[in-house]
Amino acid sequence: MKDNTEKKKKNAVSSGTGKSRASKKAYRRKKNAIIAAVTVIYLLIVAAAAVIIDDRHPEITLLGDADQLAEVGEPYVDPGAEAYLTGNLFGETTSNVEIQVENGVDTSRIGDYTVKYSATAFGKSAESYRVVHVRDTTPPVITLEHEKDYQASWLVGYKEEGFSAYDNYDGDLTDRVVRTETDDRVYYSVVDSSGNECAVERVIEYGISEPMIRLTGGEEIEVGASFTFTEPGYEATDESGNDLTSFVQVSGEVIPHQLGTYKLNYTIMNEQGETATAQRIIHVVAHPVEAVIPEEKTIYLTFDDGPSAYTARLLDTLARYDVKATFFVTNLDPDYQDMIGRAYREGHSIGVHSVSHNYAEIYQSKEAFYRDFLGMQEIIYEQTGSYTKIFRFPGGSSNTVSRNYRYGIMSELTKSMTDMGYAYFDWNVDSGDALGGAKSSYEVVNNVAAECSEHTVCVVLQHDSKGFSVDAVASIINWGRNHGYTFKALDETCYGAHHGLAN
Ligand SMILES: [Zn+2]
């Protein structure tokens, strides 16, 4: 406005001069044109100056926080930004300025991503950035499987029904599940690579109570003393009828040849250490055989230490006279083992004498004697198909030689063998064919006749390992029959002619 006032003043001054009308007009026109031009230039300069000072340019404002958190695997929605123009002189204008967005966010991968915003106007541009943190904050998921109607058993506990773990970012984490089992619960937990944890638990249901152990033959039994004890049997089942017999552990000891009361414990232990138990009491009792002494005059011919080369001849003689005798056999000459079988089949009695007939060996302990005794039983069984209940101690029950090897062994053995139902036989007529000095059949017959005359029931000791003793048998049979004796074979009920124990 000030400028316009000055122009009017100048115009007023010009109109006051007195030159010619035409030249005055031309001068005025020229002057006005100059003034107008100067004015326009002046205005343009002012306008340009205004524009420069204003410095109009775009600016960008981010919506929301500059840092954004995004969940991995889920779509990222950018809050966006606004752009506007602004300047020094006139401030913001509400013009819509187009924003270019460069969004590099990959939500499939954990990381920090930048979103770039830019805008351009009046040849000027603006840029702004934000950071998007793609993170995994979602814990994995553990899925438990359930078998239909499944119940844990008392015996084997809980059998895992199955589980799996899956994480939105790591994928299958089943192998990384930590599993802890207590009596009634299973705990499962897993942590993903970002530290997110999932924990679940399962309650175990037990369907079957502790098993029953049933003892065949009863919980308290009585068995006869014997070399061996055979457990009478047992079975174990649970409520559902499952056979658990094979899980039963039997503990305890029975010494079957020693009289007494023993206990056997039957136990099933489950994985929790709980037990189902049963107990059997076993009374090992003696079952001695009662001897019956015949009333009629009887001779029991007994032959020790065979079979030998002479045994066949003896059997022929006995067959000829139809006399049954008793053989207390050894394995001193194994070539003649088959004679044991022949004697048995021909009706004679077979008894154990000894495998080795070695005093030092068999009388060192009860166990050593039993070993030898049972060894001979096996040979007898091989030859005859049966075991025998009768035997004769090497040296007889009254021997003193056994003192050299174990004090009191004969007392122990006569007791335990009798308890076990075996009958041992000594003799009351010694033919003298071994140590008694007889060297001929004649002496043997005389010895037997002389001693036998003093007894109604005679148990005669001979040895079929001696040929001259075997050759005396026909005469002994004749003598016996002439004197009213009947010849018989021994069995476990017969008179044992026991000697007094000397060890
Ligand atoms: Zn002998």
Side-chain angles (χ1 to χ4, degrees), residues 90-91 98 136 187 190 224 233 243 261 317 334 350 365 413 415 453 480:
F90 307 110
E98 194 181 338
D136 175 21
Y187 299 93
V190 69
D243 185 356
T261 296
T317 303
I350 307 296
S365 69
L413 290 174
K415 169 83 165 69
S453 299

Side-chain angles (χ1 to χ4, degrees), residues 49-58 86-90 122 124:
V51 167
I52 289 164
I53 292 166
D54 187 41
D55 186 26
R56 193 126 295 260
H57 62 277
T86 187
N88 298 328
L89 294 178
F90 307 110
F122 298 112
K124 290 172 182 162

Side-chain angles (χ1 to χ4, degrees), residues 299-308 310-319 321 323-332 339-340 343 348-354 357 376 380 390-393 425-427 429-434 441 444-445 448 458-477 487-490:
I299 293 177
Y300 300 103
L301 294 178
T302 71
F303 299 92
D304 288 7
D305 296 2
S308 76
Y310 310 110
T311 305
R313 202 160 84 217
L314 171 57
L315 289 170
D316 291 343
T317 303
L318 293 171
Y321 287 90
V323 163
K324 305 307 176 194
T326 301
F327 293 82
F328 291 110
V329 294
T330 67
N331 200 39
L332 294 173
M339 287 297 109
I340 297 173
H348 304 290
S349 286
I350 307 296
V352 170
H353 195 36
S354 171
H357 210 290
M376 201 62 234
I380 291 169
I390 64 174
F391 72 106
R392 175 173 282 155
F393 290 107
F425 291 85
D426 288 317
W427 57 90
V429 175
D430 186 349
S431 69
D433 63 351
S441 300
V444 169
V445 175
V448 171
C458 304
V459 180
V460 179
L461 172 66
Q462 287 186 262
H463 293 80
D464 57 328
S465 54
K466 306 278 182 173
F468 66 87
S469 191
V470 165
D471 292 338
V473 168
S475 300
I476 292 171
I477 293 169
F487 287 85
K488 288 182 184 169
L490 291 169

